[in-house]
Amino acid sequence: ERLTASAPDQFAGRVADFNENLMYEMQSQRGLSHLGVPDRDLQDVVPAHEYLGSFLTTESTVPQPAHVDYTWEVLEETQDDLSLGFYPLTNEGMFLQVWPRQDDATISEIPGEIIFIPQGKMLVLPASTIHGGGFRTTPMYMPTDDVEGEEEDDSSSSSSSSSLSSSSSQDRDQNHGDSDGNIATTTFHQNGNLRFHLYMARGTTSHLPTHQTNKYTEPNDKGRFLSERYVDAPHMPVLQQHLFV
């Protein structure tokens, strides 16, 4: 609840490199005490000597290409002392696609697996885990009751206007009329599957890098994208048709 209350109303940053659908706000301060979560509380859940957090949300589903969150050189130097925590902040939970690392270049296709993380649970993975997000299940628009436009009086119009101006900055209302004068109001939800990413240095000698940089290329071939071999889960088209929005 403390993290959810600290989430930004609007996200100014978008993840680059094929991920314009992902918005984020990386924290400038190490630890989470400025967000109301003392490090001692975190130590009881995921012991580490250094923490850094980031809020993320998905505008619309576009599966993120396979990647790691640090350079392969950093990951090799730290020898899996760095970890990632994925923590959903709403009851919609969150989805993550992961792949088993396979350095044998003769294996041409490695399908991903989709993991669902419910609210109240955190998935912790080694930072060397090849993964991808970018999923949204929160409805893009939530319809409200139709209003008979022809019978509206001044007071109802004023009330409707007031409601629009006072709506949350995370949502955006739109009115749609039909030929009979009915007005249907829908609310666009900006925050989709709001979540928190926790970067951790868990080894006694390792420290979190100054900058977090996604890497999309093979560890042994910088000219080849991971996504050429690490492909979406076989059931991804079905999920995109019936679950993700």
Side-chain angles (χ1 to χ4, degrees):
E1 291 182 0
R2 286 173 288 183
L3 283 178
T4 305
S6 300
D9 288 335
Q10 292 184 317
F11 289 79
R14 290 181 182 267
V15 179
D17 304 323
F18 329 109
N19 305 137
E20 285 294 312
N21 64 314
L22 293 175
M23 295 175 285
Y24 74 100
E25 183 171 295
M26 179 71 74
Q27 301 301 291
S28 58
Q29 293 178 247
R30 299 295 170 102
L32 303 186
S33 58
H34 65 290
L35 299 174
V37 183
D39 284 357
R40 63 177 179 274
D41 291 352
L42 275 175
Q43 291 284 347
D44 294 336
V45 181
V46 278
H49 68 86
E50 198 171 10
Y51 301 96
L52 180 64
S54 177
F55 292 97
L56 283 95
T57 186
T58 302
E59 189 173 58
S60 61
T61 294
V62 178
Q64 192 177 22
H67 69 283
V68 290
D69 282 10
Y70 298 104
T71 66
W72 289 109
E73 290 77 13
V74 165
L75 294 173
E76 290 170 3
E77 290 171 4
T78 55
Q79 295 295 312
D80 276 344
D81 282 346
L82 303 183
S83 297
L84 307 174
F86 301 88
Y87 186 65
L89 299 178
T90 66
N91 58 12
E92 291 88 5
M94 66 170 287
F95 288 82
L96 188 74
Q97 186 167 207
V98 298
W99 291 266
R101 178 173 168 177
Q102 180 53 260
D103 288 344
D104 184 354
T106 63
I107 299 178
S108 60
E109 189 170 288
I110 303 112
E113 295 185 12
I114 303 292
I115 298 175
F116 172 67
I117 311 165
Q119 185 181 26
K121 301 293 184 179
M122 178 186 291
L123 175 66
V124 178
L125 299 171
S128 57
T129 303
I130 300 171
H131 65 281
F135 305 106
R136 176 182 179 129
T137 59
T138 307
M140 300 288 285
Y141 291 92
M142 295 293 289
T144 58
D145 293 336
D146 287 353
V147 178
E148 293 293 337
E150 292 182 349
E151 298 180 1
E152 279 190 321
D153 58 21
D154 291 340
S155 61
S156 64
S157 297
S158 174
S159 174
S160 176
S161 175
S162 174
S163 174
L164 287 174
S165 62
S166 63
S167 62
S168 166
S169 59
Q170 295 183 6
D171 303 328
R172 185 164 63 250
D173 290 340
Q174 292 185 353
N175 292 330
H176 307 278
D178 61 22
S179 58
D180 295 326
N182 297 324
I183 299 175
T185 301
T186 58
T187 301
F188 175 75
H189 291 269
Q190 183 176 9
N191 285 348
N193 298 78
L194 182 67
R195 53 203 180 271
F196 193 77
H197 283 193
L198 185 63
Y199 303 91
M200 296 167 281
R202 308 184 75 178
T204 56
T205 59
S206 297
H207 295 277
L208 290 173
T210 305
H211 301 289
Q212 180 269 325
T213 305
N214 290 352
K215 285 297 176 183
Y216 297 85
T217 54
E218 295 268 3
N220 301 316
D221 185 354
K222 299 301 189 293
R224 188 178 188 184
F225 285 108
L226 289 165
S227 57
E228 294 179 37
R229 294 197 302 134
Y230 295 85
V231 299
D232 285 338
H235 46 278
M236 182 67 76
V238 176
L239 293 175
Q240 288 185 281
Q241 182 178 0
H242 299 287
L243 178 62
F244 300 139
V245 295

